[in-house]
Amino acid sequence: MPEQIVIERLGAKADGIAESASGPVFVPKTLPGETVTVERDGSRADLIRVDAASPERETPFCPYFDECGGCATQHMKHGFYRTWKQEILARTLRQARIEAPVDGMIDAHGDGRRRVTLHVRFPERAMHVGYMAARSHQIVEIAFCPIAEPVLKERAPVIARAIGEHLKSARKPLDVQITNTSTGFDVDVRGHGPLKDASRLSLIGLAEKLDLSRLSIHGDVIVERRPPAIVMGRASVVPPAGSFLQATRLGEETLARFVTEACGRAKRVADLFSGSGPFALRLAERSEVHAVEYDQGSMSALDRAFRATPGLRRVTTEARDLFRRPLLTPELDAFDAVVLDPPRAGAEAQARQLAASKVPLVVSVSCDAATFARDAAILMGSGYRLERVVPVDQFKHSPHLEIIGILRREVAKRRR
């Protein structure tokens, strides 16, 4: 039954929050001070209409915003959005009892997302292509995505639909990841499983027709017509199909700039959770680097790029699960600086080893404020000082935020 409520504050996931006799009610796409009519389902509610709008509300630029679960903040004016997003980080640091200077948030959206993942589903003999609706497995069909890079905006749905047509006989739910690289589109399809020879041949022909650089199924390359290259500093990297990549080009460049500036002229740097090398290959322009990542394919891609790029200092690679086997204190003590860029879960085990080490500088890069604060607190408890925190808005129109923390401590000078 519809009811009218007043939104009192905004949560960390961008939901408006109203108080009721049974506890807080979360309403997406609302703002503090608004009177809204909703339909409740426990502590969640669907917005029916805004009866009295906040002066901080603006018209979303995407026609799919009301239904699509991808963006969460297009209804916010930019100044309000910036303040809210920075306050999420500030509040998280306060809760962890961390005091440190926090820079103003840097907009790193640039030309937009260079990678999108579209879902292809086959309900009742139909085919739907798009993004998931909020808190739902329903597909919101889209013809374009305005937050993607210009070349991806309209092409991505076309590519996903064409792949769905070729694989529809299995009627399996597909996730089609499309990355815009320097040499064209790199496409990895998840959900189908192994292909028969006839299907593989059909997809090779489709890749030709769509002019894809590479097409893979679950990381298994069906065809590579051109190496899908990602420029990282002076180097050009061909990462494994479907592997991790920063969301935007400007986001990667911004993070890498702060990382390399912080490391200065450190002679030896450990780049932990290094991926295919967005930091390592730039750091190697003036430092020796040891890159560590769980995925052997990423390590191989980084190594190939290093060997093909003249003028870099030595880069060594190691495939290692840093959650289970973090670098130990004696290993860490060989480095002048350590860069950490873990997944959302953070790097607690590695942070504890660093806390016992003699490493003078740690540069922590994180996409989760809570685990960033937890790991920073571990380091600060052993004498590191968090001298700077930089929020980077790579995931614009979402609650997610990239964070760079520079932690330094005085250590006894090493004997020559």
Side-chain angles (χ1 to χ4, degrees):
M1 172 181 288
E3 61 179 292
Q4 194 176 69
I5 59 176
V6 176
I7 303 300
E8 297 184 10
R9 63 189 188 278
L10 208 59
K13 295 184 179 180
D15 289 343
I17 303 174
E19 293 296 337
S20 72
S22 58
V25 180
F26 299 87
V27 190
K29 299 168 183 175
T30 58
L31 296 172
E34 292 188 328
T35 301
V36 297
T37 298
V38 302
E39 185 127 12
R40 286 182 58 178
D41 180 12
S43 64
R44 309 293 307 184
D46 292 324
L47 177 65
I48 296 176
R49 65 178 178 271
V50 177
D51 301 308
S54 164
E56 301 297 343
R57 176 175 287 275
E58 70 177 12
T59 302
F61 56 82
C62 177
Y64 307 109
F65 176 72
D66 288 340
E67 298 177 359
C68 179
C71 291
T73 66
Q74 289 184 21
H75 62 302
M76 301 179 188
K77 287 187 177 177
H78 185 63
F80 178 87
Y81 164 80
R82 284 180 59 88
T83 301
W84 163 74
K85 208 162 191 179
Q86 287 197 220
E87 178 55 27
I88 294 172
L89 173 58
R91 186 187 311 123
T92 304
L93 294 177
R94 288 196 300 269
Q95 289 171 345
R97 298 180 180 178
I98 291 175
E99 292 185 10
V102 179
D103 287 19
M105 187 170 70
I106 296 172
D107 186 341
H109 182 68
D111 290 334
R113 304 287 181 93
R114 60 180 170 184
R115 169 180 283 176
V116 298
T117 300
L118 292 169
H119 309 293
V120 182
R121 300 294 185 266
F122 302 94
E124 300 177 357
R125 299 188 180 185
M127 183 173 73
H128 295 169
V129 178
Y131 295 131
M132 296 287 188
R135 306 190 317 277
S136 169
H137 293 294
Q138 292 291 113
I139 299 295
V140 177
E141 295 205 66
I142 66 166
F144 65 97
C145 177
I147 69 164
E149 288 187 342
V151 73
L152 264 181
K153 283 182 181 180
E154 296 181 359
R155 285 287 291 160
V158 171
I159 291 169
R161 184 168 292 278
I163 289 170
E165 288 287 352
H166 272 66
L167 299 177
K168 66 182 179 182
S169 60
R171 307 197 68 77
K172 292 183 178 180
L174 305 175
D175 296 327
V176 182
Q177 182 190 84
I178 306 167
T179 305
N180 183 29
T181 76
S182 298
T183 55
F185 296 124
D186 182 21
V187 179
D188 185 48
V189 182
R190 305 272 162 158
H192 188 280
L195 291 175
K196 295 180 179 179
D197 288 346
S199 295
R200 295 178 76 94
L201 287 172
S202 173
L203 285 175
I204 290 171
L206 179 64
E208 179 83 24
K209 180 179 178 181
L210 296 173
D211 192 27
L212 306 182
S213 59
R214 180 171 66 183
L215 175 60
S216 56
I217 303 287
H218 288 272
D220 173 28
V221 176
I222 303 298
V223 61
E224 183 174 289
R225 301 176 58 247
R226 298 180 297 275
I230 303 292
V231 175
M232 296 180 180
R234 297 178 192 168
S236 180
V237 183
V238 179
S243 63
F244 174 78
L245 191 68
Q246 296 291 353
T248 70
R249 296 174 202 275
L250 183 58
E252 181 183 293
E253 291 166 4
T254 302
L255 296 172
R257 173 167 55 86
F258 279 100
V259 167
T260 54
E261 287 176 358
C263 290
R265 296 196 174 276
K267 290 184 178 179
R268 294 203 69 210
V269 180
D271 182 11
L272 308 184
F273 304 95
S274 66
S276 295
F279 301 150
L281 290 164
R282 291 175 169 95
L283 286 164
E285 294 179 17
R286 57 189 180 190
S287 304
E288 288 190 4
V289 182
H290 182 58
V292 186
E293 172 61 60
Y294 175 77
D295 180 53
Q296 179 61 63
S298 295
M299 292 291 83
S300 298
L302 195 166
D303 185 64
R304 286 192 297 270
F306 157 65
R307 294 179 186 281
T309 307
L312 298 183
R313 303 284 180 90
R314 185 166 67 114
V315 177
T316 55
T317 59
E318 180 182 0
R320 180 166 171 171
D321 184 346
L322 291 169
F323 292 108
R324 297 187 179 186
R325 293 182 54 235
L327 263 66
L328 302 178
T329 301
E331 297 173 279
L332 293 165
D333 285 343
F335 298 102
D336 304 301
V338 170
V339 177
L340 286 176
D341 185 15
R344 196 168 295 279
E348 183 175 6
Q350 188 62 76
R352 295 196 182 282
Q353 291 296 323
L354 277 165
S357 77
K358 297 177 183 177
V359 176
L361 171 68
V362 176
V363 184
S364 176
V365 182
S366 175
C367 59
D368 184 90
T371 56
F372 169 82
R374 179 201 66 200
D375 296 345
I378 291 170
L379 295 170
M380 295 170 76
S382 72
Y384 282 93
R385 179 171 58 90
L386 183 56
E387 67 179 30
R388 188 180 185 188
V389 178
V390 184
V392 177
D393 193 16
Q394 179 177 211
F395 302 98
K396 201 169 183 180
H397 314 301
S398 85
H400 302 301
L401 188 66
E402 289 282 346
I403 306 155
I404 304 165
I406 300 171
L407 298 107
R408 209 181 295 268
R409 69 169 165 195
E410 295 297 325
V411 296
K413 290 184 178 180
R414 299 173 186 174
R415 293 181 180 177
R416 297 291 179 185

